[in-house]
Amino acid sequence: MSAPIVIPPKAPMPAVKPKRPSRFWRPDRTSMATRSMLVGAAAVGVLAALILDPGFVSVAYVIVGVGVVIVFGILTPPRMTVTQWVAAIGMLALLGVAAVRGAEWLVFLCVVAAWVLFTWTLIGGRTWTGILLGTVAPWRAPHRTVNFVRRRKLSTRSAPRVPAVRVVVVSAVSVVLLLIFGSLFVSADPEFAKIFGGFAPAISVSNPGARIFAGVVMAFGTLVAVYLRRRTPTVDAFAPAPATPLPMWEWAVPLGVLNVLFLGFVAVQTKTLFGGDEHVQVTDGLTYADYAREGFWQLMAVTVLTLLVIAVAVRFIDRRDAGSRRLARGLLGALCLFSLVIVASAVHRMWLYENQYGFTVLRVSVFATELLLGFVFVLLLGAGIRMSGKWLPTAVLATSAVALLAFAVFNPDAYIAQKNVERFEGGKSIDVSYLHGLSVDAVPALDRLPEPQRSCALSRYRFGVPGTTVPWEFNAAREKARDILDARPVGPCLQMYTVG
């Protein structure tokens, strides 16, 4: 009798990692621009050339932004989702800061944030890698955009002419030329202005080469936005693949040790962390400057290192195991809570420092950044509840945009000026040489100073504030400052000094 045949069990199949895409772009040999896209992009370019001066913050920023959104959001299929429209509106709100604030550094930050929201609206991105790649995708699209437009040209060589469209295009070009040259003639001759001034606004063309360059860039940039809407790159596919989970002890021991260290630091340093003004006064050799710097570097080091530790740890935790999930929630949650304690300490230290030595742009910006980073830890705690952070990159992006808008509404330059004036009124020193460098946002607060401090702090506006000659140059902060300085002109300042 023959022996039974034993079939060995099959070896378990190794886990197959998802393949990374070989191309950033989807294959594209057929997409082409439509007439509405081309005309819309050209209109945006002409609009930008006429009204946009990148070195002069004004409502023109948001006007051009609205034009771009109309082209890629309305004239370009498919229809945008509600989320995309919310992001586009947020982008316009950030650009709108240029219409109400005069601080160029703040406007610059808002324009950078608007760019990030702009690219996210076009491309999306649910991962950190996707959001980051999305911000640089427009710089990789010019060649593909040229082909996108060129296909339209080639496809219409044998197509029948459409007189109605050509009439519209020719009429639009004629109107634009009439406005441009008519406005220049109105500016050049007072007699001509009396006749036609009501029909064409006077335009003072400063640096026409830069204006034309801005118009060309905006027109082509709008076409790039259209192309990205039509052929969106697969940015999220380049995110790192999930790592192989480690045994529980290999990640739990380092996290546990780190938590013990954090607990010991918070427990031992309670007096230092929350002692505040009394602690500085009773400690020999400790100044407010040292106290604040310690808190600041604690925040930076703890924030960066803790976020790095969490980002690495979550990749090696087996989320399918209930015990691993519970232990990870406890260890990572405690780490976030300890970090929040140190964030609160740093915020408290910076507040004491500002009240003692005055407020500056750097100090107020650091204070705001500390608050934002503290909220990021709160978001991390929320992600840890379900051990799922797929929503976290988008949430941090949205939170950062809202925080920057709130910071612009807060009006940092005006707040800095107001607090320094209040300190001076309370008998403390004031550094008018620093206040001299603040933007027009600070003029209403600095106008409260007595002479000669007032004239020294406002000496950069001795010859007035640039006025608004055309509607698209409007800036609310400049208008308010001009009204104040027209009513009470700035006098001479012989010396910049710090007054006690």
Side-chain angles (χ1 to χ4, degrees):
M1 189 172 180
S2 60
I5 299 174
V6 178
I7 301 176
K10 291 184 179 180
M13 294 291 292
V16 180
K17 293 185 178 180
K19 292 184 179 180
R20 294 176 64 82
S22 59
R23 297 173 62 106
F24 185 77
W25 304 96
R26 292 179 291 158
D28 178 23
R29 294 184 179 85
T30 58
S31 63
M32 66 180 68
T34 64
R35 287 190 182 92
S36 60
M37 296 173 187
L38 295 175
V39 173
V44 170
V46 172
L47 180 66
L50 287 175
I51 72 172
L52 184 62
D53 183 354
F56 191 73
V57 295
S58 67
V59 73
Y61 279 69
V62 70
I63 293 176
V64 175
V66 169
V68 175
V69 170
I70 289 174
V71 176
F72 79 71
I74 297 177
L75 301 182
T76 304
R79 293 181 179 179
M80 292 205 305
T81 64
V82 174
T83 303
Q84 286 177 307
W85 275 114
V86 170
I89 293 171
M91 177 198 77
L92 295 178
L94 287 166
L95 292 177
V97 172
V100 295
R101 296 287 177 257
E104 294 181 356
W105 66 271
L106 179 60
V107 173
F108 173 77
L109 291 178
C110 289
V111 169
V112 172
W115 172 264
V116 177
L117 282 184
F118 167 68
T119 55
W120 191 88
T121 304
L122 298 174
I123 300 169
R126 294 182 176 274
T127 63
W128 297 111
T129 302
I131 293 174
L132 180 61
L133 289 178
T135 61
V136 300
W139 305 104
R140 301 182 60 180
H143 176 69
R144 303 178 72 85
T145 304
V146 170
N147 291 335
F148 179 65
V149 175
R150 187 168 167 268
R151 292 189 199 105
R152 169 69 192 175
K153 233 176 133 184
L154 294 174
S155 67
T156 55
R157 282 181 180 175
S158 59
R161 302 293 182 183
V162 182
V165 173
R166 298 190 65 83
V167 169
V168 171
V169 174
V170 171
S171 300
V173 172
S174 301
V175 170
V176 169
L177 292 175
L178 181 63
L179 286 174
I180 294 174
F181 286 94
S183 300
L184 292 174
F185 284 137
V186 166
S187 300
D189 190 280
E191 295 300 323
F192 189 81
K194 292 179 182 178
I195 302 174
F196 295 98
F199 298 95
I203 300 178
S204 176
V205 181
S206 59
N207 201 357
R211 291 291 186 94
I212 294 173
F213 178 75
V216 172
V217 169
M218 289 305 305
F220 188 73
T222 304
L223 286 174
V224 170
V226 168
Y227 180 78
L228 291 173
R229 283 269 291 125
R230 297 293 294 151
R231 308 296 294 183
T232 306
T234 53
V235 290
D236 281 330
F238 287 85
T244 304
L246 294 177
M248 186 185 299
W249 71 272
E250 291 189 19
W251 54 262
V253 170
L255 289 179
V257 170
L258 192 59
N259 271 289
V260 171
L261 176 64
F262 272 54
L263 176 61
F265 178 81
V266 172
V268 173
Q269 298 294 321
T270 301
K271 184 177 180 180
T272 302
L273 289 173
F274 299 104
D277 187 76
E278 181 181 354
H279 173 70
V280 175
Q281 293 176 5
V282 301
T283 304
D284 293 334
L286 183 63
T287 66
Y288 278 96
D290 295 333
Y291 189 66
R293 289 192 195 101
E294 289 174 3
F296 172 75
W297 289 115
Q298 284 171 3
L299 170 71
M300 291 297 103
V302 168
T303 300
V304 174
L305 293 178
T306 304
L307 291 177
L308 179 62
V309 166
I310 292 174
V312 172
V314 295
R315 288 178 50 80
F316 295 100
I317 294 172
D318 187 0
R319 304 182 194 180
R320 297 168 298 179
D321 179 65
S324 296
R325 290 198 305 270
R326 285 192 298 268
L327 184 58
R329 286 193 189 101
L331 293 175
L332 295 177
L335 203 58
C336 289
L337 290 174
F338 291 140
S339 299
L340 280 173
V341 172
I342 298 177
V343 167
S345 168
V347 168
H348 180 57
R349 290 166 184 242
M350 185 57 68
W351 177 255
L352 291 175
Y353 186 42
E354 288 174 325
N355 279 278
Q356 181 69 19
Y357 290 106
F359 294 73
T360 66
V361 170
L362 178 61
R363 293 167 192 168
V364 171
S365 300
V366 167
F367 188 88
T369 303
E370 289 168 348
L371 293 177
L372 174 61
L373 292 175
F375 191 77
V376 170
F377 280 109
V378 175
L379 292 177
L380 287 173
L381 286 170
I385 294 176
R386 298 185 61 183
M387 289 299 295
S388 175
K390 292 181 179 179
W391 53 271
L392 192 59
T394 306
V396 172
L397 175 63
T399 301
S400 301
V402 172
L404 186 55
L405 278 174
F407 193 53
V409 172
F410 170 72
N411 199 353
D413 274 20
Y415 178 81
I416 292 165
Q418 177 185 340
K419 287 298 181 180
N420 280 281
V421 170
E422 290 176 356
R423 291 181 72 255
F424 181 68
E425 292 172 345
K428 295 184 179 180
S429 62
I430 185 169
D431 187 357
V432 294
S433 61
Y434 178 82
L435 299 178
H436 162 80
L438 296 178
S439 68
V440 290
D441 296 332
V443 169
L446 296 180
D447 185 58
R448 293 166 41 191
L449 287 171
E451 295 292 355
Q453 290 83 5
R454 175 185 179 275
S455 291
C456 287
L458 297 174
S459 59
R460 65 184 297 189
Y461 305 115
R462 185 177 178 185
F463 300 103
V465 177
T468 299
T469 57
V470 286
W472 51 80
E473 292 181 350
F474 174 81
N475 178 276
R478 277 200 306 269
E479 291 299 307
K480 186 174 183 179
R482 187 178 62 169
D483 291 341
I484 292 173
L485 298 179
D486 285 347
R488 190 183 174 196
V490 177
C493 176
L494 302 179
Q495 183 180 3
M496 290 291 180
Y497 50 85
T498 300
V499 179

